[in-house]
């Protein structure tokens, strides 16, 4: 009984929680491979917010030509904090399952979240290896708490691969709606998705817990509480400051030398040698490689200046 009560508590909790998310895919640009050239079948129909008519000719679903592969994606336009994704398949408004013509098409599908349109550069949220005609749901939900810009639906029927008999011979999008629930902005969390990430210098935090996952450029540390080490700057403190007059005055955020450059360097980042310095370097190279090694190149350069 205790376990049961706990289960009820948890599912109610999740339900309330899920209600706080926003569908960030709504009316965003969508694309599909092998698009049929009629608006009735547009990729964007799967993000139009309409899912009352689940027929492929109803104008509310994305439909592609049936081929060996099928790819559909939505561009969230910036990196978003995603919590879960809901997919409504085309059912023709008929009972789903073995008797429905469309049920065999999504079998084996996968869902990715990526920062590019290349699914393989992203995170695999779900790959169907188990569903059968009588178990695949007509409305599929997967939790995928990652950050990304593209949500990609993919399926394939490769000639070489042997599939269960009940799989279709080819695949198509056949998607009535793809809802991507998450934060309306990048750095937020909480049931309302309105709380900014708790750590001030955090760029992305876990959508449920608020734990920081990526610091803003210029910061490091578990809670992004530390500026980059002196001489370093930028995203993940991975960039090296130029020749600042005072390396302590190199901006940890963008590498600007706030009190100017070493005499031989110029530019905001003090990474460009001055013309004079370039000439000297050039002369120095010539002298170094010349046969006359008796005179030190330093002395000669000094005399030249
Ligand atoms: C996705 O949307 C962004 C913002 O509108 C745009 O800059 C980018 O080119 C789009 N990506 C593709 C592949 O169209
Ligand atoms: C997308 O980029 C952000 C920021 O660099 C990163 O935190 C996130 O993990 C990336 N998402 C994927 C799916 O690779
Ligand atoms: C089919 O299998 C053969 C041998 O395993 C392989 O060389 C070939 O690339 C495969 N073709 C495809 C389309 O996967
Ligand atoms: C959720 O957001 C609304 C406004 O959008 C606000 O009135 C409400 O207090 C918030 N609830 C919580 C628990 O933060
Ligand atoms: C670089 O960052 C500093 C603060 O560290 C700021 O004052 C300056 O305006 C920034 N420069 C640019 C070009 O964004």
């Amino acid at each position: 009984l205790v376990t049961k009560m706990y289960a009820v508590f948890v599912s109610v909790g999740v339900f309330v929680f899920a209600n706080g998310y926003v569908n960030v895919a709504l009316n965003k640009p969508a694309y599909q491979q092998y698009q049929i050239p009629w608006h009735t079948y547009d990729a964007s129909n799967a993000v139009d917010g309409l899912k009352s008519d689940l027929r492929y000719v109803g104008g509310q679903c994305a439909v592609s030509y049936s081929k060996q592969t099928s790819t559909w994606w939505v561009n969230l336009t910036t990196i978003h904090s995603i919590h879960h994704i809901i997919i409504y398949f085309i059912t023709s408004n008929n009972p789903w399952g073995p008797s429905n013509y469309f049920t065999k098409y999504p079998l084996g599908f996968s869902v990715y979240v990526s920062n590019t349109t290349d699914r393989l550069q992203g995170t695999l949220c779900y790959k169907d290896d188990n569903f059968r005609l009588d178990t695949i749901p007509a409305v599929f939900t997967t939790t995928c708490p990652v950050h990304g810009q593209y949500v990609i639906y993919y399926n394939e029927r490769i000639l070489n691969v042997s599939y269960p008999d009940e799989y279709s011979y080819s695949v198509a999008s056949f998607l009535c709606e793809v809802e991507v629930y998450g934060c309306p902005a990048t750095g937020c969390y909480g049931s309302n998705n309105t709380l900014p990430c708790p750590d001030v210098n955090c760029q992305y935090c876990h959508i449920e817990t608020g734990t920081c996952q990526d610091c803003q450029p210029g910061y490091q540390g578990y809670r992004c509480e530390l500026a980059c080490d002196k001489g370093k700057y930028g995203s993940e403190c991975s960039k090296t400051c130029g020749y600042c007059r005072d390396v302590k005055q190199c901006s940890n955020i963008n590498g600007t030398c706030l009190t100017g450059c070493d005499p031989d360097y110029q530019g905001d980042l003090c990474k460009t040698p001055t013309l004079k310095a370039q000439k000297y370097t050039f002369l120095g190279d010539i002298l170094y490689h010349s046969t006359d090694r008796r005179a030190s190149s330093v002395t000669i350069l000094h005399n030249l200046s």
Side-chain angles (χ1 to χ4, degrees), residues 34-50:
Y34 308 125
Q35 169 72 51
I36 302 172
W38 282 290
H39 289 312
T40 316
Y41 306 119
D42 264 359
S44 62
N45 291 342
V47 288
D48 62 0
L50 302 174

Side-chain angles (χ1 to χ4, degrees), residues 216-219 228 232-239 251-255:
Q216 285 175 16
Y219 295 91
C228 299
K232 295 284 182 183
Y233 73 98
S235 174
E236 292 171 5
C237 297
S238 58
K239 296 183 178 145
S251 160
N252 58 315
I253 297 166
N254 56 33

Side-chain angles (χ1 to χ4, degrees), residues 79 113-115 121-123 147-148 204 214:
I79 295 176
V113 171
S114 180
N115 286 333
Q121 290 181 11
T123 300
H147 296 92
Y204 305 115
D214 244 321

Side-chain angles (χ1 to χ4, degrees), residues 240-271:
T240 304
C241 294
Y243 296 89
C244 299
R245 181 178 310 235
D246 178 0
V247 74
K248 287 193 225 106
Q249 296 297 324
C250 168
S251 160
N252 58 315
I253 297 166
N254 56 33
T256 301
C257 294
L258 299 171
T259 54
C261 305
D262 256 8
D264 288 345
Y265 288 86
Q266 59 189 4
D268 280 349
L269 301 179
C270 303
K271 289 190 174 180

